Amino acid sequence: MRTSTRGSRRLMALAAIAALTTGLLAGCAEDSDDGSSNEGGGNGGGGKTTLTIGTFGVFGYKQAGLYDEYMKSHPDISIKENVTTRTDVYWPKTLTRLQAGAGTDDIQAIEVGNITEAVQTQADKFVDLGKEVDKSQWLDWKNTQATTKDGKLIGLGTDIGPMAICYRKDLFEKAGLETDRTKLAEQWKGDWGKYVDLGKKYMKKAPSGTKFVDSASSVYNAALGGEVERYYDKDGNVVWDKSAGVKKAWNVAMDVATSDMSAKLKQFDKPWDQGYANGTFATVACPAWMIGYIQEKSGEAGKGKWDVAAAPTAANWGGSFIGVPTASKHQKEAVELAKWLTAPEQQAKVFAKQASFPSTPSAYGSLKPAAATQEYFSGAPITQIFSDSAKTIPTQYLGTKDQPIGTAITDVGILQVEQKGKSPAQGWDAATAEIKDVLGQ
Amino acid sequence: MSSPKQALAHPASSADAAPGDQPGAAPRAHGRGTPPPGNDSWRSRLYRWDMKASPYAFIAPFFIVFGAFSLVPLLYTAWYSLHDVQLANLDGQTWAGLKNYENLLSSDFFWNALWNTFTIGVISTVPQLVMAIGMAHLLNYKLRGSTVWRVVMLTPYATSVAAATLVFVLLYSWDGGMINWLLDFVGIDPVNWRESDWGSQFAVSSIVIWRWTGYNALIYLAAMQAIPVDLYESAAIDGANRWQQFIHVTIPQLRPTILFTVVVSTIGATQLFGEPLLFGGVSGSKGGSEHQYQTLGLYMYDQGWIIGNLGKASAIAWSMFLILLIVAVIQLLISRRLRKSQ
């Protein structure tokens, strides 16, 4: 009898090892081979091609019903969206997968802050879309950002972030300020400094518990968004410490940070969301993509109280691209889908639902925001305001480390002045040390 | 170790395995070859092999997994730490020698992170273990529904870091957070919990304490219940009250357990990552505008995944590993001391 127990023992061990190793292998494989499975579409069916699209945050495709529409017209395709909410998690993950040549989605979104890095270091990992589309559909500067030196277009522009100022009409009225959007825009036209001056006026009679603006960093980003020269020059050299644009935006932000007109909130933090709900700040520099966010976070209580006015200068903040990795198993289908998703008609649909602003000017004539949005923002002509801004946005030169440099300035430099009462000079020094660390100097 | 097993294996195999169980098997197995001399038959060889190899087969899964997911990455990280590697260009590594380490030693951010890891470690571990002993002591009394209390104590540990931290972020929020509201109630000025130096460290520690106190308390409770009752009885006869019993009976008996929890907590504190990252919210990897709660784990994450400097991040990872080794040696020395003194 002893042999039989021994035998079964051995068998069990073998089984255990086998189970474990297959489990491991399955775990490894899971990531990459879901290309042929049937999830996502919901309507199952064999022989379908499943296209995956990797995004961060809300792109609005699902919300605007674009996936369903495409699947209806292409019965052999089913689409699955993989969302990673945090950009700082999404991008490193995508980078490693691109280089491994495995595990990427069939379509990958690229944030504008990362586009230069993608263009300069990952160009050979993306399909050249330049030959597939009519490039003249997009704004020139949008295409330029995603084009390599030898003319390869690695991403199609989705939305852009033309800037306006969203403000609480009711709070402005209580503070005894002008509430008409055109007159307001006239008051601060051409200079963010004038906007800050108005803030000082607001603070003199501010309704209790409210501040003029959400944070100094948001003003910095908005002001910088209108400058040609940011952190890099045309040839890709780092010039952030000499850049006229950075200096200008920094000074405006310092004016905000040192004059107690900011609610000192960090954008996209939970307390910032609460700030919307409680109405603790009267204005926020709002790129088009923030319109939907404000509606969602301010909720019913903010309905009809918000209004939109043109920003002091035309500026761009954010916006993304979608590209097709060469590692995609269904390149042809993926390119088709990417083309369709970024075509003017579809971009207009996303705008109608989510107010993400199209990067294709031919869509501007037909843009219609949702009736609810219109009502929410006191009937402001947001289409007009954002289009006007979009058409005059300057071409900006971006660099490989745009994102971390920007973070160092806003989340270290400006934050120290705004929240810790440091002097602007100290804040600048702190940001400098941080950026040196980023650049490995 | 091996000799008793062999001593057991030899006689057993010769005695009953060959002739006993399957009469037909032995001749067939040796049929064509030379007949095995004496007790070195095929079956006995198999048996001996089984006795020797099976244990290895049983423990193999762990070591295979350990090798694939711990050892290889560990060594690979060491290799990376000697190179200039960018996240955007993993294949284009260039030899850097010890440059990354020199870079670290001269970096204020590294020393700051090391110091923060230490201070946050102390202000989270010490109160946590003290409170855990206290709670275990209370739970050790006869209580109505004691299981309920014990389960409730373990729930913070079962909560995910993310969920717990998000709640704490709201509690500690600078504008309209509940803690500042309570402080205001008793007439204390609101504290900017995320940006103040000690405030942010205290806030991060409180999340750690909240999550781990119950866990440690249960470990202490288990150890307490193993303490013989007669020790307490004789102490009571000697006139010791509850408190004296706790100090003179419970604590000395718990010594090995306390040491264990200290070791585990120290390792946990050195690797502290999730709580400060999520507490910082957007761009939490900086650990505040002055890096006031940036731990080593966060610094590594920031260097590797945000800035994209994998070589330096690997050097940080190895520094952490070395620091943990040093800590382990110190603790080994202390525990040896303790054992001698007992």
Side-chain angles (χ1 to χ4, degrees):
Chain A
M1 273 325 23
R2 217 184 274 176
T3 32
S4 77
T5 47
R6 245 190 286 137
S8 61
R9 223 201 295 151
R10 204 179 305 140
L11 212 87
M12 257 168 55
L14 273 174
I17 294 169
L20 251 161
T21 40
T22 47
L24 282 175
L25 293 176
C28 294
E30 197 177 43
D31 258 1
S32 54
D33 72 2
D34 51 15
S36 53
S37 64
N38 297 324
E39 349 169 25
N43 37 5
K48 268 198 175 183
T49 310
T50 300
L51 294 177
T52 58
I53 167 162
T55 65
F56 47 87
V58 178
F59 267 64
Y61 295 149
K62 194 184 272 168
Q63 288 77 358
L66 292 188
Y67 296 144
D68 289 333
E69 196 183 329
Y70 193 79
M71 286 188 280
K72 214 172 254 173
S73 60
H74 296 73
D76 53 331
I77 302 274
S78 98
I79 302 169
K80 188 184 166 219
E81 189 180 68
N82 296 322
V83 187
T84 309
T85 347
R86 291 178 66 139
T87 336
D88 59 344
V89 177
Y90 170 83
W91 185 240
K93 189 169 79 182
T94 307
L95 271 183
T96 44
R97 288 180 177 179
L98 282 172
Q99 291 176 78
T104 57
D105 292 305
D106 296 303
I107 294 177
Q108 292 282 178
I110 309 165
E111 220 266 336
V112 63
N114 304 120
I115 190 68
T116 313
E117 187 171 26
V119 164
Q120 289 185 5
T121 65
Q122 312 297 317
D124 55 330
K125 308 287 195 299
F126 281 101
V127 175
D128 182 6
L129 296 164
K131 299 171 201 122
E132 310 277 347
V133 294
D134 173 14
K135 282 196 249 184
S136 66
Q137 287 183 77
W138 280 268
L139 289 163
D140 268 346
W141 58 265
K142 187 80 175 170
N143 277 334
T144 312
Q145 288 176 342
T147 307
T148 63
K149 275 205 178 106
D150 49 359
K152 192 175 162 189
L153 182 70
I154 65 162
L156 300 178
T158 58
D159 60 325
I160 55 172
M163 193 87 62
I165 302 286
C166 295
Y167 65 101
R168 288 278 302 251
K169 223 169 39 176
D170 57 325
L171 296 181
F172 266 47
E173 202 176 332
K174 278 184 202 154
L177 295 183
E178 179 63 60
T179 54
D180 180 74
R181 62 182 83 88
T182 31
K183 285 184 188 151
L184 266 178
E186 210 51 53
Q187 281 188 15
W188 59 50
K189 192 173 172 139
D191 190 354
W192 286 90
K194 290 185 193 163
Y195 166 77
V196 178
D197 289 341
L198 192 79
K200 288 176 184 159
K201 246 199 228 163
Y202 176 91
M203 290 315 293
K204 278 186 195 138
K205 278 183 71 185
S208 76
T210 70
K211 300 280 182 185
F212 183 64
V213 66
D214 62 334
S215 70
S217 297
S218 77
V219 178
Y220 170 84
N221 278 329
L224 188 68
E227 297 295 333
V228 177
E229 194 176 46
R230 290 164 57 108
Y231 307 126
Y232 287 79
D233 68 8
K234 204 162 60 179
D235 308 316
N237 302 312
V238 201
V239 293
W240 73 277
D241 50 347
K242 297 185 279 284
S243 157
V246 172
K247 210 158 277 171
K248 233 176 176 179
W250 171 267
N251 288 338
V252 173
M254 285 303 108
D255 208 1
V256 173
T258 53
S259 54
D260 195 37
M261 65 168 73
S262 136
K264 302 183 183 177
L265 297 165
K266 230 164 142 187
Q267 294 203 319
F268 299 102
D269 252 0
K270 279 271 169 303
W272 190 58
D273 295 350
Q274 281 189 326
Y276 276 118
N278 303 335
T280 45
F281 47 86
T283 68
V284 58
C286 54
W289 45 261
M290 209 185 269
I291 290 286
Y293 197 91
I294 295 175
Q295 266 181 92
E296 188 190 322
K297 297 302 173 190
S298 287
E300 269 305 298
K303 196 170 169 183
K305 290 180 182 157
W306 284 96
D307 205 327
V308 186
T313 59
N316 182 63
W317 182 1
S320 304
F321 299 84
I322 53 179
V324 177
T326 47
S328 160
K329 283 180 196 136
H330 315 286
Q331 273 181 38
K332 230 183 89 213
E333 292 88 344
V335 169
E336 280 309 308
L337 176 61
K339 268 165 69 178
W340 188 83
L341 283 175
T342 52
E345 307 85 67
Q346 274 62 252
Q347 294 207 15
K349 284 176 205 158
V350 175
F351 178 80
K353 179 72 195 166
Q354 212 67 33
S356 296
F357 204 78
S359 53
T360 48
S362 67
Y364 295 173
S366 61
L367 286 185
K368 272 192 207 71
T373 309
Q374 205 103 64
E375 197 184 332
Y376 202 92
F377 289 91
S378 317
I382 45 180
T383 312
Q384 191 61 42
I385 292 170
F386 286 128
S387 307
D388 288 349
S389 172
K391 283 174 195 157
T392 48
I393 293 169
T395 303
Q396 299 180 319
Y397 301 109
L398 303 178
T400 43
K401 300 268 186 200
D402 254 69
Q403 196 106 296
I405 293 177
T407 311
I409 291 186
T410 54
D411 291 7
V412 172
I414 295 178
L415 210 63
Q416 284 195 12
V417 179
E418 187 178 31
Q419 299 206 8
K420 304 197 75 168
K422 296 270 170 92
S423 74
Q426 284 170 320
W428 184 259
D429 288 344
T432 306
E434 191 78 28
I435 292 171
K436 281 194 170 147
D437 193 47
V438 166
L439 299 171
Q441 287 171 344
Chain B
M1 282 301 272
S2 64
S3 58
K5 261 191 215 155
Q6 278 168 344
L8 202 145
H10 279 281
S13 59
S14 58
D16 56 18
D21 296 333
Q22 284 171 300
R28 227 187 293 147
H30 308 299
R32 253 167 280 152
T34 46
N39 56 16
D40 203 19
S41 69
W42 162 244
R43 290 177 56 78
S44 75
R45 242 187 293 149
L46 203 64
Y47 181 67
R48 247 186 307 142
W49 190 80
D50 179 19
M51 291 301 278
K52 273 189 194 159
S54 292
Y56 293 105
F58 285 126
I59 57 168
F62 170 78
F63 285 95
I64 291 170
V65 174
F66 173 79
F69 292 98
S70 296
L71 198 62
V72 171
L74 191 72
L75 297 176
Y76 209 65
T77 312
W79 178 248
Y80 260 10
S81 74
L82 300 174
H83 287 80
D84 251 337
V85 197
Q86 291 295 313
L87 180 62
N89 187 9
L90 291 175
D91 298 327
Q93 28 182 297
T94 51
W95 177 256
L98 290 175
K99 204 193 86 192
N100 282 325
Y101 290 94
E102 284 163 16
N103 203 325
L104 273 192
L105 293 181
S106 63
S107 157
D108 292 342
F109 297 128
F110 174 73
W111 291 108
N112 170 63
L114 185 62
W115 177 245
N116 285 345
T117 309
F118 177 73
T119 52
I120 295 178
V122 170
I123 57 179
S124 63
T125 308
V126 174
Q128 173 193 329
L129 295 183
V130 171
M131 277 161 57
I133 290 194
M135 282 166 72
H137 184 63
L138 292 178
L139 281 177
N140 205 18
Y141 285 118
K142 269 207 162 59
L143 286 176
R144 222 179 261 267
S146 57
T147 322
V148 174
W149 298 115
R150 285 167 202 179
V151 170
V152 167
M153 281 219 321
L154 208 58
T155 39
Y157 171 65
T159 319
S160 84
V161 194
T165 310
L166 283 183
V167 173
F168 274 87
V169 165
L170 287 181
L171 290 181
Y172 281 115
S173 149
W174 133 271
D175 197 27
M178 201 203 266
I179 309 241
N180 274 348
W181 181 75
L182 284 175
L183 285 183
D184 187 51
F185 216 64
V186 289
I188 300 173
D189 282 341
V191 177
N192 188 342
W193 290 103
R194 194 183 278 172
E195 284 306 319
S196 73
D197 296 333
W198 65 267
S200 58
Q201 295 208 351
F202 174 82
V204 170
S205 304
S206 69
I207 308 172
V208 180
I209 293 172
W210 182 81
R211 280 194 75 224
W212 290 89
T213 303
Y215 171 84
N216 284 308
L218 282 195
I219 293 180
Y220 288 140
L221 181 62
M224 280 178 189
Q225 292 189 329
I227 301 174
V229 188
D230 35 338
L231 282 181
Y232 289 104
E233 280 168 358
S234 49
I237 290 168
D238 289 345
N241 62 24
R242 291 272 199 189
W243 175 247
Q244 285 165 328
Q245 289 176 20
F246 177 68
I247 294 295
H248 296 289
V249 180
T250 312
I251 296 287
Q253 290 287 320
L254 280 185
R255 215 178 266 172
T257 316
I258 293 174
L259 197 74
F260 168 75
T261 53
V262 167
V263 172
V264 171
S265 304
T266 311
I267 293 175
T270 313
Q271 297 174 335
L272 187 66
F273 173 71
E275 285 89 346
L277 177 75
L278 294 165
F279 181 73
V282 186
S283 74
S285 62
K286 294 261 182 266
S289 68
E290 279 192 294
H291 301 251
Q292 62 269 32
Y293 54 93
Q294 187 177 47
T295 58
L296 280 176
L298 276 190
Y299 186 50
M300 175 175 76
Y301 181 74
D302 193 44
Q303 281 294 332
W305 300 106
I306 307 295
I307 297 174
N309 200 342
L310 280 187
K312 196 166 164 191
S314 304
I316 301 169
W318 261 81
S319 308
M320 281 172 78
F321 181 62
L322 294 178
I323 290 166
L324 272 180
L325 280 185
I326 294 169
V327 170
V329 168
I330 293 173
Q331 274 165 342
L332 196 77
L333 291 178
I334 294 176
S335 71
R336 202 174 282 168
R337 248 291 152 74
L338 279 180
R339 217 172 298 142
K340 260 184 207 158
S341 72
Q342 263 183 343

